[in-house]
Amino acid sequence: MIPPILRGIVYAGAGLWLALASALAGDAPRQSTRSAAEIMDILMWNREPVGGPFALTDQAGHERTDSEFHGRLMLVYFGFTYCPDVCPTDLQAIGLALDKLGPDGDQVQPIFITVDPARDTAAHLAEYVPLFHPRLIGLTGSDDAIRKVADAYRVYYAQVPLKDAGDYTVDHTAYIYLMDRDGNYLGFFPPGTSADRMVEIIRPRLAAPAH
Ligand code: NI
């Protein structure tokens, strides 16, 4: 028999071990590796390459990799479906720009990558992305996979607790990345860019011969 006082110590010890095991298992806070300021500095002055390979799950539950989109331009946007304002506005502009490009718009693959994979499951994305464009692909994945792709695209995101216990929002940068037919970074549209402006910038790229 373990005396009650010792039992308490044993339980406390177990709790500590659980916390330690969870830390070792990689339960890091859900956020990008670098700060918003570092990331904005990189993007503003083009200090580092942007983008990179990914393997994520789409809204139908299928694995999708960046390489299957080569040959098309990619419009890549990071956000989360519970975002009250910025994400839906930008996704609407992306959808409208694709419509305005007409049949040529098929050369552009719009991609929405969630920075809130805990809530944005494939099933949840399936209800969300079609609101903006029928060809919009929504991607989710493990915390690690999302952090990796967000870091590669120089995206800042961090969970921010709300007043209601357990509830949170996600603070994030909202640049719209334009990638060329080989998946290389061309540049970004700032949040709030209009559909017409996107069309002006993208259309000359579509005239370029595919290779
Ligand atoms: Ni947002």
Side-chain angles (χ1 to χ4, degrees), residues 73 107 178 180-181 186 200-209:
L73 301 176
Q107 296 175 47
L178 183 61
D180 75 9
R181 293 168 197 275
L186 291 168
E200 274 185 289
I201 303 290
I202 293 171
R203 199 183 285 288
R205 290 272 159 191
L206 300 182

Side-chain angles (χ1 to χ4, degrees), residues 148-161:
K148 194 168 158 245
V149 67
D151 284 350
Y153 274 84
R154 317 304 175 203
V155 169
Y156 171 77
Y157 71 101
Q159 271 191 15
V160 180

Side-chain angles (χ1 to χ4, degrees), residues 37-55:
E38 277 178 279
I39 280 167
M40 287 182 73
D41 186 70
I42 290 164
L43 286 175
M44 288 278 294
W45 309 112
N46 218 10
R47 291 191 198 281
E48 294 178 11
V50 174
F54 58 77

Side-chain angles (χ1 to χ4, degrees), residues 19 83 124 135 175 191:
C83 183
H124 194 76
R135 290 197 304 105
Y175 300 103

